[in-house]
Amino acid sequence: MLGGMELHVLNHPLVEHKLTVLRDKNTPSSTFRELVSELVSLEAYEATRNLAVVDKPIETPVAPMVGKALAKPRPIIVPVLRAGLGMLDGMTRMLPSAEVGFLGMKRDEEHPTQQITYANRLPDDLSGRQCFLIDPMLATGGTLVAATHYLAEKGAKDVTAICIIAAPEGIKFVEDNIDPSIDFRVVVCGVDEGLNDRSYIVPGLGDAGDRLYGVVD
């Protein structure tokens, strides 16, 4: 626990191996996309640990029993465009019954902790919904805070952010600025050394969106 934020860093040999290949500048986009999906599936196991469930009576081939089923309303997965789209398959593979929303945000390069919202496709009311924000990089933390508060304005009180890698500066910014009334947690594969003078994570893995989809001028 960091203040009002719960941080979970995965510690697993498979995660470390896949993350190393992901970081390699010689890894092609096709492999990069597959590795992102695989890493997110591993993260999703931890990120969904607190999913709400209800009793569900069923009959097995041998006897009746009471099992568990996901509670309603269904959880919602929200990729932060565009890089977050590369994580969507990994999440929906583990959570196929979830709904999917979209949130378009980009960093203001002149003010790295400030964000520009340019698109959204979300329900008007997220009250009672467990929300999963997916974005590969937690760099300055500005996008994550802005996106979480955007969901909170629609009634969300339970938000889990899933990122591939994070910088200590971004973690600290989120810890200091996230609304404490939100039940908020972050799951990452690794925490790197820090940010460079362009607010990029070092050693990082480069621009995740460009490596997933190519450079867009």
Side-chain angles (χ1 to χ4, degrees):
M1 292 294 297
L2 298 173
M5 178 182 79
E6 180 182 341
L7 175 67
H8 187 92
V9 183
L10 268 62
N11 180 17
H12 194 284
L14 277 178
V15 172
E16 293 175 353
H17 168 74
K18 292 177 187 295
L19 191 54
T20 298
V21 181
L22 192 75
R23 293 181 188 275
D24 191 330
K25 68 179 184 180
N26 296 313
T27 297
S29 290
S30 57
T31 304
F32 190 93
R33 286 192 292 270
E34 181 59 31
L35 285 168
V36 167
S37 183
E38 291 174 3
L39 283 167
V40 173
S41 291
L42 293 170
E43 289 184 282
Y45 182 80
E46 185 62 39
T48 55
R49 184 176 295 277
N50 295 321
L51 276 175
V53 294
V54 294
D55 290 342
K56 182 178 181 180
I58 62 168
E59 290 193 14
T60 78
V62 178
M65 64 162 286
V66 178
K68 299 292 182 182
L70 294 183
K72 294 182 179 179
R74 291 184 290 170
I76 185 167
I77 302 167
V78 183
V80 178
L81 304 178
R82 71 180 165 129
L85 285 176
M87 304 171 70
L88 185 56
D89 284 348
M91 278 298 295
T92 54
R93 186 180 299 127
M94 294 295 289
L95 200 57
S97 63
E99 292 184 354
V100 178
F102 298 94
L103 183 57
M105 284 187 167
K106 62 181 181 180
R107 184 168 65 189
D108 184 336
E109 295 300 335
E110 294 184 2
H111 306 91
T113 60
Q114 297 181 22
Q115 311 303 312
I116 300 169
T117 302
Y118 62 88
N120 88 84
R121 184 70 173 177
L122 293 165
D124 291 332
D125 186 5
L126 292 173
S127 300
R129 304 287 289 270
Q130 290 180 289
C131 301
F132 295 89
L133 272 172
I134 52 177
D135 193 6
M137 317 292 281
L138 200 180
T140 65
T143 297
L144 187 53
V145 169
T148 302
H149 289 172
Y150 192 92
L151 299 183
E153 290 171 2
K154 292 179 173 289
K157 291 295 184 183
D158 187 326
V159 180
T160 299
I162 301 171
C163 306
I164 303 295
I165 57 174
E169 297 93 326
I171 293 171
K172 183 65 165 60
F173 182 85
V174 174
E175 178 190 356
D176 291 343
N177 290 277
I178 205 75
D179 184 340
S181 70
I182 302 169
D183 185 4
F184 182 72
R185 63 200 66 84
V186 180
V187 179
V188 301
C189 292
V191 178
D192 279 12
E193 297 171 10
L195 301 177
N196 63 16
D197 57 3
R198 297 181 59 202
S199 296
Y200 279 78
I201 300 176
V202 178
L205 48 80
D207 186 298
D210 288 350
R211 294 195 67 186
L212 282 162
Y213 304 117
V215 178
V216 176
D217 295 329

